[in-house]
Amino acid sequence: MLPWKRVFRPLAALLLTAAVAVVPAATAHASDAPSRGWNDWSCKPSATHPRPVVLVHGTLGNSVDNWLSLAPYLKDRGYCVYSLDYGQLPGVPLFYGLGPIDKSAEQLSVFVDKVLTSTGAAKADLVGHSQGGMMPRYYLRFLGGAAKVDALVGLAPDNHGTDLDGLTHLLPYFPGAEDLIKATTPGFADQIVGSAFLTKLNAGGDTVPGVHYTVIATKYDEVATPWRNQYLSGSDVHNVLLQDLCPLDLSEHVAIGLFDRIAFHEVANALDPAHATTTTCASAFS
């Protein structure tokens, strides 16, 4: 039998090294984000937008890089906007969302309380990308978040897990690989279709009463696959396929959260449905 642990450890290191090469390096944490207009702890919500918006990054993301476009987009529209880092692993800088997801949800709970205390608002809205659109559902269901959140908007959230375009089906052919993933990057393991975490999260229904849910997906998603796994079922759920709004939109998993203004326009609609306007290809220029 091959020494799989020796094989996968350098592979994991290689993937992180590659990620550093292709993702813009974050030189600051969210505490420095006010220069871009968000995480301003003096911000007070307006009567037009009475709830602060908390942005929840995805796996391997962070509170700055994931939101360099969406945070200013929402700030310019009059929202108090905040973002947090969660799921940090010891010795792994900049790339977060790798820790156990139930523990990440606890970090979200603490952060939302801080935002509500600072703003004086009764409730917040959550907008998350990838894991960040799914993880808050644990907070809502198990940590009392439903009483503090009005809306959850997920951009390409892996609500029912991912098979990574079928790659996870190969794990049984590599003895010890799945155990190694669970031990070293539990945040990855929790997102695999059929994981114990997802089984617990989705048991008894996808939603909790009192929260408005929106899922914005793209059929070109190559990470949260199959993309229909992103959709939720429930009486207060709005599932949207980006290509139904604009057939020309080619955004995949990363782009939908990082710079797709068509998706951003639909996020704004979900946060303020009373003043929603139709999302089309032209929304890219709005």
Side-chain angles (χ1 to χ4, degrees):
M1 183 179 296
L2 290 174
W4 294 111
K5 289 189 178 182
R6 296 180 185 175
V7 174
F8 277 90
R9 283 200 179 102
L11 176 59
L14 178 62
L15 289 173
L16 285 175
T17 301
V20 172
V22 300
V23 178
T27 57
H29 288 272
S31 58
D32 298 311
S35 62
R36 293 286 311 205
W38 81 94
N39 275 10
D40 176 2
W41 296 100
S42 67
C43 186
K44 299 299 179 184
S46 65
T48 304
H49 299 305
R51 293 181 303 277
V53 178
V54 175
L55 303 177
V56 190
H57 65 74
T59 308
L60 292 174
N62 61 59
S63 59
V64 177
D65 285 349
N66 213 143
W67 307 119
L68 288 173
S69 295
L70 181 57
Y73 180 94
L74 294 176
K75 184 68 178 178
D76 289 346
R77 283 155 179 77
Y79 289 92
C80 292
V81 182
Y82 303 86
S83 61
L84 77 155
D85 291 313
Y86 70 86
Q88 300 91 331
L89 290 180
V92 181
L94 302 181
F95 298 96
Y96 305 135
L98 298 172
I101 297 182
D102 57 346
K103 300 302 181 184
S104 294
E106 292 176 6
Q107 292 180 272
L108 174 62
S109 178
V110 172
F111 190 81
V112 170
D113 284 349
K114 180 181 177 182
V115 169
L116 294 180
T117 298
S118 175
T119 59
K123 289 188 175 184
D125 291 329
L126 308 180
V127 178
H129 179 214
S130 191
Q131 180 190 162
M134 174 270 289
M135 175 269 279
R137 293 177 49 226
Y138 190 95
Y139 162 59
L140 299 178
R141 181 178 292 276
F142 298 110
L143 302 178
K148 303 174 183 178
V149 172
D150 184 78
L152 170 61
V153 184
L155 291 159
D158 50 347
N159 281 311
H160 295 278
T162 178
D163 66 3
L164 286 175
D165 274 335
L167 289 177
T168 62
H169 300 305
L170 300 177
L171 287 175
Y173 297 98
F174 296 89
E178 190 166 0
D179 289 339
L180 181 61
I181 293 172
K182 290 178 181 178
T184 56
T185 52
F188 277 135
D190 285 347
Q191 295 177 78
I192 296 173
V193 171
S195 71
F197 173 83
L198 288 168
T199 299
K200 177 180 178 180
L201 176 64
N202 293 315
D206 291 348
T207 63
V208 295
V211 179
H212 309 295
Y213 295 84
T214 298
V215 173
I216 305 171
T218 171
K219 68 180 182 181
Y220 300 115
D221 203 308
E222 77 287 18
V223 176
T225 57
W227 65 262
R228 287 181 178 83
N229 275 11
Q230 300 173 27
Y231 280 180
L232 294 171
S233 297
S235 60
D236 199 350
V237 171
H238 182 47
N239 293 314
V240 182
L241 181 64
L242 200 55
Q243 284 71 39
D244 287 341
L245 305 176
C246 175
L248 300 178
D249 195 318
L250 302 179
S251 288
E252 41 66 70
H253 186 80
V254 175
I256 194 174
L258 263 59
F259 53 75
D260 191 318
R261 291 178 70 93
I262 296 170
F264 294 176
H265 187 272
E266 195 65 9
V267 169
N269 281 347
L271 295 176
D272 188 8
H275 300 96
T277 58
T278 301
T279 302
T280 67
C281 294
S283 300
F285 306 101
S286 64

